[in-house]
Amino acid sequence: MKNRLKELRADKGWSQQALADHLDVSRQTVNALETGKYDPSLPLAFRLARLFGEPIESIFDDGWQP
């Protein structure tokens, strides 16, 4: 799933480890999310949205078009 996590993280000046610490996940999880190798659980997606103050849909794009 495409996402803007790397961009949003960079805007805050955070390393992958800093974001991982905010989310209580591993740095490897953050890397897998950013590279699209891992799709977040719904609770993790909500935590990311709250952390960055954006709707989930503005962070993640599943590519689905009606």
Side-chain angles (χ1 to χ4, degrees):
M1 179 180 311
K2 293 181 182 180
N3 65 68
R4 298 177 42 234
L5 289 177
K6 188 173 183 177
E7 169 193 337
L8 293 168
R9 177 177 60 77
D11 288 348
K12 296 270 189 187
W14 293 342
S15 65
Q16 286 185 341
Q17 185 61 58
L19 178 55
D21 292 344
H22 282 285
L23 298 169
D24 197 28
V25 299
S26 70
R27 185 202 57 78
Q28 290 84 352
T29 297
V30 170
N31 181 269
L33 287 166
E34 288 185 356
T35 59
K37 294 178 182 172
Y38 172 71
D39 292 338
S41 65
L42 196 52
L44 180 54
F46 273 104
R47 286 198 320 250
L48 283 159
R50 281 193 297 270
L51 181 63
F52 290 115
E54 298 210 12
I56 291 173
E57 298 87 355
S58 75
I59 298 174
F60 297 97
D61 179 10
D62 66 0
W64 185 80
Q65 302 263 336

